[in-house]
Amino acid sequence: MTKNIQITIEAIDHTSPHLQTVIALGDAHKKTLGLLPRDAFIEYAIKRTILVAIDSDKNCIGYLLYRKVIRKHAIVIVHLCVNPSCRGKDVAKKLVNYLSQKTQDFYRIELKCRRDYGIDGMWYKLGFVPLDEKTGNSKDGKLLTIWWLEHYHPTIFSYAANQKLESKLCAVIDTSVFFELHGDEELKTTESDSLLADWLQDDLELCITDEIFKSINKIDSANLRDSKRLLANGFTQLVHNKTRIEGILNTLNEVFCKQASTDDISLINQLALTIASDAQVFVTRNIEVLNLADEIYKKFTLEVISPTNLILKLDDIRRNVEYQPVRLAGTFIKMKLIQRLEESRLLDGFNASEKGEKEGEFKQRLRHIIANSDKFQSYVFLDNENKPLALIVFERDQAKELKVTIMRVIPGAIAATFARYLVFYSISLSADEKREFTRIIDPYLEETVLQAIQEDAFVRVDNGYLKANLDIAKTSAELSKYLDKLGKMGSEYNFCIQLAETLTISQSTQDIKTISEIERHLWPAKVINADLPTFIIPIQPIWAKDLFDKELARQYILESQTDLALRREQVYYKCNNGSLKPGVIGRILWYVSSDRAFTGTQEVKACSRLDEVIIDKPEKLYRQFRHLGVYELKHLMTLAKDQPDEDIMAIRFSYTNIFTKRLTLNRLREILGNKTTVQSLFKISKEQFAIIYNEGTVT
């Protein structure tokens, strides 16, 4: 057994006593590392781009020498060398891990290594993937393999991959399926080749994992390696969550050890990477894995299927695109459509026994719902370990209403937040589907859910709670007529007539509080001729991603805070320049400012209800609103120019609806009739608001 030794990693400069050891190690292994002059070692040391591994006796036992390639935003390893007497003790791994942690601002770490050295296994263990190869510059022209260790920063390519994950059925193909693909229309002869049919491309996105490139690298023929890499580069490579891999692998190994004889480590790795990337389908022809499909789905909600069955079932899966796990607002929380055989694992968490619901009653009800998928859609929300957090069931038997037949939340730290999110999500979904009402009819609602329902202006009716949600922007007179017509549908809808009557009063459109409350009761409806103050507020993408913009959240490498990302109500801070007065209410149009790190900026992207403006000292505002905001006290102090007694502004807002069509800066200038750069907030007229809102919400 290899004896563990204590190792520390540090960067050295040209004055370090370890530099001579580094040079000696480099010279001793120049045959494999390549010749590097002494002056070059000193130059790298001056730049502090030499890492050394120090043992408990303060001896240098290995080093890593690297350079920064700014134009590619990458780190390139020049030398990685460990004293032969200390190999097999994870020295190289500690050096690479330290470098990776130290250089997270860069996209990746790269290196080139001669193919004939036969040390591919070491690079695999260190997390590198062989993505390409080239002929070396030496006289004998030996082949060099190009290895990458990705840091998975959001780029235009990773953003495009995420968009595909949300717009298509993403199926990860395993190595055996990939190697059956010819990529040539004239050579399509295998079962797997049928996946490349043109008619599938609008609905099916074939994806691969890093393991494909490892398998390609094992091919003896250089020409075949090149052709397969070219084919692989045509597929989407999904970004996976590295922090989840170890736990997923442990569970998969348990499943395979108990129920299968396969020792195909590569195949298990592919499954783990697929699960960690939130893809919804894994395509394989491996019989043992296909036999474990039910067990894998039970543990990971991943569908394992053969190429033929995927094509045969594609229409069913396409009709229920919600089967894919979608991260909510950049968090680890996923939303999944419940399938058969899943109801048993939901009983303990969601059966409302304390409310008098019998287990048998709940079980029978849930089975009926799942069996009638044409009538009901039932979703479970899962955390990053696939543990249920919430359950919601929708019924669409009426054109004008979205019914919520079950709404349950697991007790916990974010239960109240999640309850409010579910209620608001239901209203938003109903409005998006052009329905006028949301009706919640679960007879066993928890107190946290009931409170959320009451806060969102639902009306108590005989069989539950009812709310109007009109996706329209009309004048007060037009909206009054519309509501009056809805109110005549029956006694349950009388509240619409009351709102209609309020809108007929001439003073109502001038009364800011009245109009603001009417818009809250009818959200997302807007009264476009009302004298409700409307402000365009510029916001940096770094804040927009957490406050309302899910598109930006998906581009960000770090996950949003779950509690904050799910909140309906938020707070935004600005310098106190007198542009807003305390107590003002109205509407906000959010303009996301330019930032090269993100796509989808310099656009008006959303509209919110402006609930309150408070001006006070940074620390006092932070204590008052820290449960709402994504800001830390240091951010508020920056706004106050590090003066604790300097006043800043807190803008509390809620009921945000994201525009379906974003308005560019040029279009905004056309509407406003000026050359605004949107560098600070400003007020617009009701006529300008009507144009912007109608263009932004067009479908």
Side-chain angles (χ1 to χ4, degrees):
M1 182 179 292
T2 302
K3 182 180 178 181
N4 292 324
I5 58 174
Q6 185 176 354
I7 300 170
T8 57
I9 308 297
E10 61 183 56
I12 62 169
D13 61 17
H14 61 292
T15 65
S16 170
H18 298 303
L19 182 57
Q20 296 306 315
T21 305
V22 168
I23 295 173
L25 275 172
D27 288 345
H29 298 89
K30 61 185 177 183
K31 187 175 181 180
T32 52
L33 292 172
L35 179 63
L36 193 67
R38 180 184 180 85
D39 288 347
F41 278 104
I42 295 173
E43 187 66 26
Y44 279 110
I46 291 172
K47 294 178 181 177
R48 295 187 64 84
T49 56
I50 299 178
L51 305 178
V52 294
I54 309 298
D55 67 10
S56 55
D57 295 324
K58 307 299 181 183
N59 296 316
C60 174
I61 59 174
Y63 74 95
L64 187 157
L65 186 152
Y66 67 96
R67 60 191 178 91
K68 300 175 181 178
V69 184
I70 303 301
R71 62 183 174 81
K72 294 197 299 183
H73 212 57
I75 297 294
V76 175
I77 293 179
V78 180
H79 279 185
L80 176 58
C81 182
V82 176
N83 191 310
S85 64
C86 298
R87 290 173 185 171
K89 299 178 181 179
D90 284 342
V91 179
K93 184 175 182 179
K94 287 182 170 62
L95 284 164
V96 171
N97 285 350
Y98 185 91
L99 176 65
S100 179
Q101 293 168 7
K102 180 185 175 70
T103 60
Q104 280 293 310
D105 287 343
F106 290 79
Y107 288 152
R108 60 185 173 272
I109 300 173
E110 299 180 12
L111 63 92
K112 298 184 184 74
C113 182
R114 269 178 51 172
R115 185 173 177 82
D116 60 349
Y117 284 169
I119 57 172
D120 291 358
M122 181 189 78
W123 298 124
Y124 293 144
K125 289 180 181 178
L126 294 177
F128 287 85
V129 178
L131 290 182
D132 205 351
E133 60 188 49
K134 62 176 291 186
T135 303
N137 294 323
S138 59
K139 292 180 181 179
D140 50 8
K142 295 291 185 180
L143 279 177
L144 302 176
T145 302
I146 300 172
W147 299 80
W148 281 18
L149 175 63
E150 286 280 4
H151 284 156
Y152 292 110
H153 283 259
T155 66
I156 189 170
F157 304 109
S158 62
Y159 174 66
N162 281 334
Q163 288 294 94
K164 289 175 180 176
L165 182 64
E166 297 196 357
S167 62
K168 290 185 179 183
L169 177 66
C170 290
V172 175
I173 56 175
D174 78 349
T175 305
S176 63
V177 172
F178 172 79
F179 278 111
E180 282 191 343
L181 298 174
H182 292 99
D184 188 325
E185 189 69 31
E186 295 180 358
L187 296 176
K188 290 184 178 180
T189 58
T190 68
E191 173 190 0
S192 299
D193 269 324
S194 59
L195 295 171
L196 298 178
D198 291 340
W199 67 273
L200 290 171
Q201 304 316 304
D202 288 341
D203 301 294
L204 180 65
E205 186 70 25
L206 295 182
C207 307
I208 57 173
T209 68
D210 293 346
E211 288 292 319
I212 294 291
F213 294 98
K214 295 179 182 179
S215 298
I216 292 172
N217 194 51
K218 296 175 183 178
I219 298 173
D220 291 332
S221 166
N223 289 335
L224 186 55
R225 286 197 303 273
D226 286 343
S227 67
K228 288 301 181 183
R229 283 197 185 102
L230 184 63
L231 179 61
N233 288 331
F235 293 100
T236 297
Q237 190 170 359
L238 297 178
V239 175
H240 62 271
N241 185 343
K242 295 172 72 173
T243 62
R244 295 176 57 197
I245 291 294
E246 185 177 353
I248 293 170
L249 279 173
N250 290 338
T251 305
L252 281 172
N253 283 321
E254 289 176 5
V255 171
F256 277 85
C257 286
K258 288 179 181 178
Q259 303 186 43
S261 59
T262 183
D263 57 357
D264 190 339
I265 297 174
S266 176
L267 186 58
I268 296 174
N269 285 341
Q270 289 174 72
L271 275 167
L273 291 170
T274 301
I275 294 163
S277 70
D278 281 342
Q280 60 269 45
V281 177
F282 184 77
V283 187
T284 182
R285 296 181 67 245
N286 185 291
I287 299 301
E288 289 188 329
V289 178
L290 290 170
N291 288 339
L292 289 173
D294 288 342
E295 184 67 19
I296 293 171
Y297 187 87
K298 181 178 178 182
K299 291 187 178 296
F300 300 107
T301 61
L302 173 73
E303 176 127 13
V304 177
I305 196 167
S306 69
T308 299
N309 281 335
L310 173 61
I311 293 172
L312 291 175
K313 295 182 178 181
L314 185 64
D315 285 341
D316 291 334
I317 299 174
R318 182 171 51 197
R319 280 196 298 268
N320 295 299
V321 69
E322 295 88 351
Y323 274 78
Q324 61 183 306
V326 180
R327 280 212 300 266
L328 302 179
T331 72
F332 282 124
I333 295 175
K334 296 171 291 186
M335 178 180 176
K336 288 275 292 178
L337 192 65
I338 302 173
Q339 292 180 289
R340 293 179 300 104
L341 307 178
E342 286 190 307
E343 66 267 22
S344 58
R345 73 187 183 101
L346 303 177
L347 284 175
D348 293 339
F350 296 118
N351 179 29
S353 55
E354 69 283 356
K355 290 284 185 178
E357 185 180 42
K358 296 179 180 179
E359 182 175 318
E361 174 191 354
F362 178 63
K363 186 174 182 179
Q364 184 178 3
R365 188 179 179 198
L366 199 58
R367 282 182 174 171
H368 171 74
I369 286 169
I370 295 172
N372 291 275
S373 57
D374 58 328
K375 184 179 179 182
F376 300 96
Q377 284 186 311
S378 47
Y379 297 89
V380 62
F381 294 80
L382 307 167
D383 66 11
N384 62 324
E385 296 179 351
N386 285 315
K387 294 179 181 177
L389 297 173
L391 171 68
I392 192 165
V393 177
F394 297 117
E395 182 179 0
R396 294 176 170 87
D397 61 338
Q398 294 184 25
K400 289 185 174 294
E401 290 187 6
L402 177 68
K403 284 185 183 176
V404 183
T405 58
I406 295 179
M407 184 180 285
R408 309 285 170 89
V409 178
I410 297 289
I414 66 167
T417 297
F418 222 122
R420 284 160 177 77
Y421 172 81
L422 288 182
V423 173
F424 188 62
Y425 173 76
S426 302
I427 298 167
S428 302
L429 181 62
S430 181
D432 287 345
E433 294 178 357
K434 304 302 178 185
R435 300 174 191 272
E436 282 90 356
F437 298 95
T438 302
R439 186 188 294 266
I440 301 175
I441 59 173
D442 188 343
Y444 302 105
L445 294 171
E446 297 288 345
E447 290 303 316
T448 52
V449 177
L450 284 170
Q451 291 174 10
I453 289 171
Q454 292 162 3
E455 290 174 10
D456 268 313
F458 277 78
V459 175
R460 187 75 169 94
V461 292
D462 289 342
N463 65 339
Y465 298 86
L466 185 65
K467 185 188 188 303
N469 37 254
L470 310 180
D471 189 17
I472 55 177
K474 294 181 178 291
T475 66
S476 55
E478 291 169 338
L479 185 56
S480 178
K481 290 180 181 178
Y482 194 91
L483 286 167
D484 188 65
K485 183 178 179 181
L486 291 176
K488 293 175 180 177
M489 290 167 53
S491 59
E492 290 183 324
Y493 305 93
N494 282 341
F495 68 94
C496 292
I497 296 175
Q498 295 170 359
L499 290 169
E501 291 173 350
T502 302
L503 285 168
T504 60
I505 301 172
S506 59
Q507 292 83 0
S508 64
T509 55
Q510 282 78 46
D511 189 282
I512 293 173
K513 289 185 178 180
T514 300
I515 287 296
S516 182
E517 274 302 294
I518 286 175
E519 288 194 355
R520 185 176 78 88
H521 277 73
L522 300 175
W523 185 90
K526 299 292 183 290
V527 186
I528 58 175
N529 66 324
D531 293 327
L532 195 58
T534 302
F535 304 89
I536 292 181
I537 299 183
I539 182 171
Q540 296 176 17
I542 195 70
W543 304 122
K545 73 175 180 62
D546 281 320
L547 292 175
F548 60 83
D549 198 326
K550 296 179 183 180
E551 176 188 280
L552 291 175
R554 288 191 290 268
Q555 298 177 49
Y556 199 65
I557 191 169
L558 300 176
E559 299 296 325
S560 303
Q561 297 179 54
T562 299
D563 184 24
L564 299 176
L566 296 180
R567 287 189 178 275
R568 182 196 64 207
E569 182 183 8
Q570 300 281 13
V571 68
Y572 178 61
Y573 298 96
K574 287 187 67 67
C575 297
N576 179 29
N577 57 6
S579 53
L580 284 180
K581 301 298 182 184
V584 66
I585 61 174
R587 308 186 192 101
I588 297 171
L589 290 171
W590 293 104
Y591 174 84
V592 179
S593 304
S594 176
D595 189 326
R596 292 183 179 179
F598 296 90
T599 60
T601 61
Q602 286 189 291
E603 296 173 335
V604 181
K605 303 187 79 169
C607 179
S608 300
R609 169 187 162 97
L610 172 57
D611 294 311
E612 187 178 16
V613 175
I614 308 97
I615 296 174
D616 214 323
K617 307 295 183 288
E619 188 171 352
K620 187 173 180 180
L621 289 177
Y622 176 72
R623 288 199 306 268
Q624 183 176 356
F625 294 117
R626 62 185 172 186
H627 67 292
L628 290 180
V630 296
Y631 289 78
E632 298 177 16
L633 179 58
K634 64 182 181 181
H635 299 129
L636 274 64
M637 289 302 299
T638 299
L639 288 173
K641 301 185 172 109
D642 291 323
Q643 299 296 319
D645 292 328
E646 185 79 15
D647 283 343
I648 62 172
M649 181 190 304
I651 301 171
R652 189 168 61 84
F653 66 95
S654 60
Y655 291 93
T656 301
N657 55 313
I658 308 298
F659 284 174
T660 54
K661 178 184 177 183
R662 286 65 183 269
L663 276 74
T664 64
L665 178 59
N666 287 337
R667 178 56 186 146
L668 181 62
R669 287 169 173 168
E670 290 176 3
I671 295 170
L672 301 182
N674 58 43
K675 296 293 183 181
T676 180
T677 55
V678 198
Q679 293 182 349
S680 59
L681 71 86
F682 57 90
K683 188 177 180 181
I684 62 173
S685 69
K686 55 189 175 185
E687 292 80 13
Q688 291 168 333
F689 168 74
I691 296 171
I692 294 171
Y693 187 83
N694 280 320
E695 287 193 18
T697 56
V698 67
T699 55

